[in-house]
Amino acid sequence: MIEVTLIRHGQANTGARSEADYDCLSGLGRQQALWLGEHLRATGGFDRVVSGTLCRQAETAALVNLDARPHRQDARLNEFDYFRLARMLEDRDGIPFPTDPQSFAAHVPQVLDLWRAGGAGPDHESYEAFRGRVLEAAADVAGAGPGAVVVTSTGVIATLCALALGLETVVKARMFLRILNTSVHRFAIDAEGLHLTQFGATPHLDHPDRRDARTHY
């Protein structure tokens, strides 16, 4: 059995309305990553880092990687294009892009339902293809041996959780909304499949003076 540790990237450019505008860390996002790097170093470290190719993922990986361990990028760990799906939802159903946490919480399951039902069209990555590449990437990390940390995004983490626990889309959407920036998740992979062993840990943000640094968006 091999354990794989997944980390969500640090806080990105909140308030963005496109993938290109969103894809950079905020000042707080960089600090979150540095704090996590210090925590991981103090608790045993890791042998290598794997991240997606998105800027927010690669930058988080670099900041976490205080001891300059080998870092490999894998596009299969990239997030799905939430902003494009949101535009499709608005064009089809007139549902506007969310402007606050409450409307975002309602928006996520609507976007996932559109995508899962095939409403994104043939030129957009399908829900099934996304799920398949995410699972393959996790299996390849495990196949390379223990000691890796993987820096990715909410959709990837929520998808692996849903696969491990057999969750329906509605519950997956709720889980999507609970994944904090730079939170730590662990999965065990063996001959029986994928097993969730830790969800949403933030030991580097649990200090009393860092509670305000716990962010979802």
Side-chain angles (χ1 to χ4, degrees), residues 42-91:
T43 54
F46 46 85
D47 296 329
R48 67 191 192 280
V49 185
V50 185
S51 76
T53 64
L54 298 174
C55 291
R56 61 188 182 274
Q57 298 169 339
E59 187 177 2
T60 299
L63 292 166
V64 167
N65 192 12
L66 297 176
D67 296 319
R69 301 301 187 188
H71 176 192
R72 178 175 66 84
Q73 296 187 14
D74 185 339
R76 294 177 297 176
L77 295 166
N78 289 357
E79 183 65 287
F80 65 88
D81 193 341
Y82 189 93
F83 295 95
R84 184 179 177 193
L85 290 168
R87 288 193 297 272
M88 292 177 179
L89 182 67
E90 185 168 13
D91 291 343

Side-chain angles (χ1 to χ4, degrees), residues 168-188:
E168 298 296 331
T169 303
V170 172
V171 181
K172 176 183 172 180
R174 293 173 185 163
M175 182 169 282
F176 184 103
L177 294 163
R178 298 294 181 267
I179 297 175
L180 290 162
N181 293 114
T182 62
S183 54
V184 179
H185 313 258
R186 291 192 169 92
F187 297 85

Side-chain angles (χ1 to χ4, degrees), residues 79-162:
E79 183 65 287
F80 65 88
D81 193 341
Y82 189 93
F83 295 95
R84 184 179 177 193
L85 290 168
R87 288 193 297 272
M88 292 177 179
L89 182 67
E90 185 168 13
D91 291 343
R92 190 189 74 171
D93 298 338
I95 297 172
F97 195 85
T99 56
D100 54 54
Q102 291 73 31
S103 59
F104 187 70
H107 195 252
V108 169
Q110 293 170 317
V111 167
L112 293 180
D113 283 345
L114 168 79
W115 190 25
R116 186 167 178 258
D123 61 337
H124 187 87
E125 180 182 35
S126 70
Y127 181 87
E128 292 75 17
F130 175 78
R131 185 172 57 181
R133 68 157 160 101
V134 165
L135 189 57
E136 287 177 358
D140 285 351
V141 171
V149 295
V150 177
V151 181
T152 182
S153 294
T154 304
V156 173
I157 296 169
T159 294
L160 289 173
C161 289

